[in-house]
Amino acid sequence: MMKSKIRWGDTLDDEDALPPTTVKGPDSHGIKITTEYSKNDKGEAIKKVTKVKVVNVEKKVYKVTAERKQWKRFGLAAKESADDSVTVRHVEDIPFERIRPAKATAQEKKFTDMQAALQSADKQTIVGSLKDVLYKKRMERELLRAKGLLAEAEKPPEEEGTAGPKPAGLPSAPKP
């Protein structure tokens, strides 16, 4: 009779023992192959092959840093082992209470003042604040004109029949 090659699944049926986990590599491409054997809920033998790429990362270590790590520990750190001084980030959210309320910006203050004035129905306050806004806008335009960033102010149209300069920015009408 011809002796056939024994497959891993056939050998497991004969014995209850599973083959040991094997690790091969890394090869020339940096691939490491791990083969594990286990049994599932039904009692069947399962073969799990895992391929992992191994990458070597070079890290620059300064001589001064390496020398400092060799120093003898002092203070409270002298009593601790190297495993005790590990810093771990905690994921719990910590709520903070504001002692003083956040300051409102200038725009928010104007908005709340305007809303309060509208709700109180005090017409004098509303008209006064609108006049302030219009005055500020007019001053901004004057400043821009003085800096040369805005065209000259338009003058109101002259009444018909009087001769005067044309308003700036309007095209002249063709003469017949």
Side-chain angles (χ1 to χ4, degrees), residues 115-136:
Q115 278 190 335
L118 289 172
Q119 288 177 352
S120 68
D122 185 12
K123 291 183 181 179
Q124 189 65 23
T125 309
I126 296 170
V127 170
S129 61
L130 287 175
K131 283 183 180 178
D132 288 342
V133 170
L134 292 173
Y135 177 76
K136 287 179 184 175

PDB file of all heavy atoms in Angstrom, residues 115-136:
ATOM      1  N   GLN A 115     -33.544  94.089  22.357  1.00  0.00           N
ATOM      2  CA  GLN A 115     -34.723  93.271  22.668  1.00  0.00           C
ATOM      3  C   GLN A 115     -35.453  93.808  23.891  1.00  0.00           C
ATOM      4  O   GLN A 115     -36.683  93.850  23.913  1.00  0.00           O
ATOM      5  CB  GLN A 115     -34.313  91.819  22.910  1.00  0.00           C
ATOM      6  CG  GLN A 115     -34.136  91.022  21.656  1.00  0.00           C
ATOM      7  CD  GLN A 115     -33.972  89.548  21.953  1.00  0.00           C
ATOM      8  OE1 GLN A 115     -33.550  89.159  23.039  1.00  0.00           O
ATOM      9  NE2 GLN A 115     -34.293  88.720  20.970  1.00  0.00           N
ATOM     10  N   ALA A 116     -34.722  94.225  24.896  1.00  0.00           N
ATOM     11  CA  ALA A 116     -35.347  94.774  26.096  1.00  0.00           C
ATOM     12  C   ALA A 116     -36.101  96.058  25.766  1.00  0.00           C
ATOM     13  O   ALA A 116     -37.218  96.286  26.261  1.00  0.00           O
ATOM     14  CB  ALA A 116     -34.291  95.044  27.163  1.00  0.00           C
ATOM     15  N   ALA A 117     -35.527  96.876  24.895  1.00  0.00           N
ATOM     16  CA  ALA A 117     -36.192  98.114  24.500  1.00  0.00           C
ATOM     17  C   ALA A 117     -37.466  97.827  23.713  1.00  0.00           C
ATOM     18  O   ALA A 117     -38.491  98.489  23.890  1.00  0.00           O
ATOM     19  CB  ALA A 117     -35.252  98.984  23.683  1.00  0.00           C
ATOM     20  N   LEU A 118     -37.412  96.840  22.827  1.00  0.00           N
ATOM     21  CA  LEU A 118     -38.601  96.498  22.038  1.00  0.00           C
ATOM     22  C   LEU A 118     -39.707  95.932  22.924  1.00  0.00           C
ATOM     23  O   LEU A 118     -40.884  96.181  22.701  1.00  0.00           O
ATOM     24  CB  LEU A 118     -38.237  95.492  20.946  1.00  0.00           C
ATOM     25  CG  LEU A 118     -37.403  96.044  19.791  1.00  0.00           C
ATOM     26  CD1 LEU A 118     -36.936  94.906  18.890  1.00  0.00           C
ATOM     27  CD2 LEU A 118     -38.211  97.043  18.984  1.00  0.00           C
ATOM     28  N   GLN A 119     -39.341  95.160  23.930  1.00  0.00           N
ATOM     29  CA  GLN A 119     -40.348  94.573  24.811  1.00  0.00           C
ATOM     30  C   GLN A 119     -40.962  95.613  25.736  1.00  0.00           C
ATOM     31  O   GLN A 119     -42.127  95.513  26.080  1.00  0.00           O
ATOM     32  CB  GLN A 119     -39.732  93.439  25.624  1.00  0.00           C
ATOM     33  CG  GLN A 119     -39.445  92.201  24.801  1.00  0.00           C
ATOM     34  CD  GLN A 119     -38.761  91.113  25.593  1.00  0.00           C
ATOM     35  OE1 GLN A 119     -38.368  91.334  26.731  1.00  0.00           O
ATOM     36  NE2 GLN A 119     -38.619  89.953  24.989  1.00  0.00           N
ATOM     37  N   SER A 120     -40.181  96.596  26.108  1.00  0.00           N
ATOM     38  CA  SER A 120     -40.726  97.610  27.014  1.00  0.00           C
ATOM     39  C   SER A 120     -41.614  98.605  26.262  1.00  0.00           C
ATOM     40  O   SER A 120     -42.348  99.355  26.880  1.00  0.00           O
ATOM     41  CB  SER A 120     -39.590  98.355  27.723  1.00  0.00           C
ATOM     42  OG  SER A 120     -38.870  99.134  26.780  1.00  0.00           O
ATOM     43  N   ALA A 121     -41.534  98.606  24.949  1.00  0.00           N
ATOM     44  CA  ALA A 121     -42.352  99.478  24.093  1.00  0.00           C
ATOM     45  C   ALA A 121     -42.106 100.949  24.400  1.00  0.00           C
ATOM     46  O   ALA A 121     -42.991 101.787  24.257  1.00  0.00           O
ATOM     47  CB  ALA A 121     -43.826  99.129  24.202  1.00  0.00           C
ATOM     48  N   ASP A 122     -40.914 101.286  24.829  1.00  0.00           N
ATOM     49  CA  ASP A 122     -40.528 102.667  25.079  1.00  0.00           C
ATOM     50  C   ASP A 122     -39.987 103.222  23.762  1.00  0.00           C
ATOM     51  O   ASP A 122     -38.852 102.956  23.376  1.00  0.00           O
ATOM     52  CB  ASP A 122     -39.477 102.722  26.184  1.00  0.00           C
ATOM     53  CG  ASP A 122     -39.125 104.151  26.564  1.00  0.00           C
ATOM     54  OD1 ASP A 122     -39.853 105.064  26.136  1.00  0.00           O
ATOM     55  OD2 ASP A 122     -38.127 104.326  27.282  1.00  0.00           O
ATOM     56  N   LYS A 123     -40.804 104.005  23.066  1.00  0.00           N
ATOM     57  CA  LYS A 123     -40.449 104.486  21.731  1.00  0.00           C
ATOM     58  C   LYS A 123     -39.236 105.406  21.772  1.00  0.00           C
ATOM     59  O   LYS A 123     -38.420 105.408  20.855  1.00  0.00           O
ATOM     60  CB  LYS A 123     -41.636 105.206  21.089  1.00  0.00           C
ATOM     61  CG  LYS A 123     -42.761 104.272  20.742  1.00  0.00           C
ATOM     62  CD  LYS A 123     -43.872 104.994  20.042  1.00  0.00           C
ATOM     63  CE  LYS A 123     -45.004 104.026  19.733  1.00  0.00           C
ATOM     64  NZ  LYS A 123     -46.103 104.675  19.077  1.00  0.00           N
ATOM     65  N   GLN A 124     -39.092 106.154  22.815  1.00  0.00           N
ATOM     66  CA  GLN A 124     -37.969 107.082  22.912  1.00  0.00           C
ATOM     67  C   GLN A 124     -36.643 106.308  22.929  1.00  0.00           C
ATOM     68  O   GLN A 124     -35.678 106.698  22.286  1.00  0.00           O
ATOM     69  CB  GLN A 124     -38.106 107.938  24.178  1.00  0.00           C
ATOM     70  CG  GLN A 124     -37.116 109.073  24.265  1.00  0.00           C
ATOM     71  CD  GLN A 124     -37.344 110.116  23.156  1.00  0.00           C
ATOM     72  OE1 GLN A 124     -38.436 110.231  22.609  1.00  0.00           O
ATOM     73  NE2 GLN A 124     -36.289 110.839  22.823  1.00  0.00           N
ATOM     74  N   THR A 125     -36.599 105.191  23.639  1.00  0.00           N
ATOM     75  CA  THR A 125     -35.385 104.372  23.716  1.00  0.00           C
ATOM     76  C   THR A 125     -35.081 103.747  22.369  1.00  0.00           C
ATOM     77  O   THR A 125     -33.932 103.720  21.923  1.00  0.00           O
ATOM     78  CB  THR A 125     -35.556 103.266  24.765  1.00  0.00           C
ATOM     79  OG1 THR A 125     -35.998 103.845  25.988  1.00  0.00           O
ATOM     80  CG2 THR A 125     -34.268 102.505  24.988  1.00  0.00           C
ATOM     81  N   ILE A 126     -36.114 103.240  21.692  1.00  0.00           N
ATOM     82  CA  ILE A 126     -35.932 102.601  20.380  1.00  0.00           C
ATOM     83  C   ILE A 126     -35.415 103.612  19.377  1.00  0.00           C
ATOM     84  O   ILE A 126     -34.451 103.361  18.652  1.00  0.00           O
ATOM     85  CB  ILE A 126     -37.253 101.967  19.892  1.00  0.00           C
ATOM     86  CG1 ILE A 126     -37.669 100.833  20.843  1.00  0.00           C
ATOM     87  CG2 ILE A 126     -37.107 101.441  18.489  1.00  0.00           C
ATOM     88  CD1 ILE A 126     -39.042 100.303  20.593  1.00  0.00           C
ATOM     89  N   VAL A 127     -36.025 104.782  19.320  1.00  0.00           N
ATOM     90  CA  VAL A 127     -35.615 105.809  18.367  1.00  0.00           C
ATOM     91  C   VAL A 127     -34.189 106.268  18.665  1.00  0.00           C
ATOM     92  O   VAL A 127     -33.374 106.444  17.763  1.00  0.00           O
ATOM     93  CB  VAL A 127     -36.604 107.005  18.404  1.00  0.00           C
ATOM     94  CG1 VAL A 127     -36.076 108.167  17.604  1.00  0.00           C
ATOM     95  CG2 VAL A 127     -37.959 106.569  17.870  1.00  0.00           C
ATOM     96  N   GLY A 128     -33.853 106.400  19.948  1.00  0.00           N
ATOM     97  CA  GLY A 128     -32.511 106.829  20.330  1.00  0.00           C
ATOM     98  C   GLY A 128     -31.455 105.828  19.900  1.00  0.00           C
ATOM     99  O   GLY A 128     -30.407 106.197  19.372  1.00  0.00           O
ATOM    100  N   SER A 129     -31.723 104.537  20.098  1.00  0.00           N
ATOM    101  CA  SER A 129     -30.742 103.523  19.732  1.00  0.00           C
ATOM    102  C   SER A 129     -30.620 103.417  18.219  1.00  0.00           C
ATOM    103  O   SER A 129     -29.531 103.194  17.696  1.00  0.00           O
ATOM    104  CB  SER A 129     -31.090 102.182  20.347  1.00  0.00           C
ATOM    105  OG  SER A 129     -32.343 101.741  19.896  1.00  0.00           O
ATOM    106  N   LEU A 130     -31.710 103.587  17.482  1.00  0.00           N
ATOM    107  CA  LEU A 130     -31.640 103.561  16.021  1.00  0.00           C
ATOM    108  C   LEU A 130     -30.842 104.749  15.501  1.00  0.00           C
ATOM    109  O   LEU A 130     -30.062 104.632  14.555  1.00  0.00           O
ATOM    110  CB  LEU A 130     -33.041 103.546  15.408  1.00  0.00           C
ATOM    111  CG  LEU A 130     -33.801 102.227  15.542  1.00  0.00           C
ATOM    112  CD1 LEU A 130     -35.210 102.385  14.997  1.00  0.00           C
ATOM    113  CD2 LEU A 130     -33.089 101.116  14.811  1.00  0.00           C
ATOM    114  N   LYS A 131     -31.027 105.919  16.130  1.00  0.00           N
ATOM    115  CA  LYS A 131     -30.255 107.093  15.733  1.00  0.00           C
ATOM    116  C   LYS A 131     -28.764 106.859  15.968  1.00  0.00           C
ATOM    117  O   LYS A 131     -27.933 107.242  15.153  1.00  0.00           O
ATOM    118  CB  LYS A 131     -30.717 108.331  16.504  1.00  0.00           C
ATOM    119  CG  LYS A 131     -32.012 108.907  15.995  1.00  0.00           C
ATOM    120  CD  LYS A 131     -32.372 110.164  16.758  1.00  0.00           C
ATOM    121  CE  LYS A 131     -33.676 110.748  16.247  1.00  0.00           C
ATOM    122  NZ  LYS A 131     -34.061 111.938  17.007  1.00  0.00           N
ATOM    123  N   ASP A 132     -28.441 106.211  17.081  1.00  0.00           N
ATOM    124  CA  ASP A 132     -27.037 105.898  17.375  1.00  0.00           C
ATOM    125  C   ASP A 132     -26.447 104.989  16.296  1.00  0.00           C
ATOM    126  O   ASP A 132     -25.328 105.207  15.831  1.00  0.00           O
ATOM    127  CB  ASP A 132     -26.901 105.212  18.733  1.00  0.00           C
ATOM    128  CG  ASP A 132     -27.139 106.162  19.894  1.00  0.00           C
ATOM    129  OD1 ASP A 132     -27.070 107.392  19.668  1.00  0.00           O
ATOM    130  OD2 ASP A 132     -27.383 105.662  21.008  1.00  0.00           O
ATOM    131  N   VAL A 133     -27.199 103.976  15.889  1.00  0.00           N
ATOM    132  CA  VAL A 133     -26.727 103.044  14.873  1.00  0.00           C
ATOM    133  C   VAL A 133     -26.511 103.769  13.554  1.00  0.00           C
ATOM    134  O   VAL A 133     -25.470 103.596  12.891  1.00  0.00           O
ATOM    135  CB  VAL A 133     -27.718 101.868  14.703  1.00  0.00           C
ATOM    136  CG1 VAL A 133     -27.383 101.025  13.497  1.00  0.00           C
ATOM    137  CG2 VAL A 133     -27.756 101.013  15.955  1.00  0.00           C
ATOM    138  N   LEU A 134     -27.466 104.595  13.147  1.00  0.00           N
ATOM    139  CA  LEU A 134     -27.334 105.322  11.888  1.00  0.00           C
ATOM    140  C   LEU A 134     -26.168 106.296  11.937  1.00  0.00           C
ATOM    141  O   LEU A 134     -25.431 106.465  10.957  1.00  0.00           O
ATOM    142  CB  LEU A 134     -28.642 106.051  11.567  1.00  0.00           C
ATOM    143  CG  LEU A 134     -29.819 105.135  11.219  1.00  0.00           C
ATOM    144  CD1 LEU A 134     -31.104 105.955  11.085  1.00  0.00           C
ATOM    145  CD2 LEU A 134     -29.556 104.371   9.949  1.00  0.00           C
ATOM    146  N   TYR A 135     -25.974 106.960  13.071  1.00  0.00           N
ATOM    147  CA  TYR A 135     -24.859 107.889  13.221  1.00  0.00           C
ATOM    148  C   TYR A 135     -23.521 107.159  13.076  1.00  0.00           C
ATOM    149  O   TYR A 135     -22.608 107.629  12.388  1.00  0.00           O
ATOM    150  CB  TYR A 135     -24.950 108.597  14.584  1.00  0.00           C
ATOM    151  CG  TYR A 135     -23.801 109.530  14.850  1.00  0.00           C
ATOM    152  CD1 TYR A 135     -23.731 110.776  14.223  1.00  0.00           C
ATOM    153  CD2 TYR A 135     -22.777 109.164  15.707  1.00  0.00           C
ATOM    154  CE1 TYR A 135     -22.673 111.632  14.464  1.00  0.00           C
ATOM    155  CE2 TYR A 135     -21.713 110.010  15.953  1.00  0.00           C
ATOM    156  CZ  TYR A 135     -21.657 111.248  15.329  1.00  0.00           C
ATOM    157  OH  TYR A 135     -20.609 112.084  15.560  1.00  0.00           O
ATOM    158  N   LYS A 136     -23.403 105.993  13.703  1.00  0.00           N
ATOM    159  CA  LYS A 136     -22.164 105.222  13.619  1.00  0.00           C
ATOM    160  C   LYS A 136     -21.891 104.776  12.189  1.00  0.00           C
ATOM    161  O   LYS A 136     -20.755 104.825  11.721  1.00  0.00           O
ATOM    162  CB  LYS A 136     -22.228 104.015  14.552  1.00  0.00           C
ATOM    163  CG  LYS A 136     -22.095 104.376  16.015  1.00  0.00           C
ATOM    164  CD  LYS A 136     -22.189 103.169  16.892  1.00  0.00           C
ATOM    165  CE  LYS A 136     -22.146 103.552  18.372  1.00  0.00           C
ATOM    166  NZ  LYS A 136     -22.345 102.403  19.240  1.00  0.00           N
TER     167      LYS A 136
END
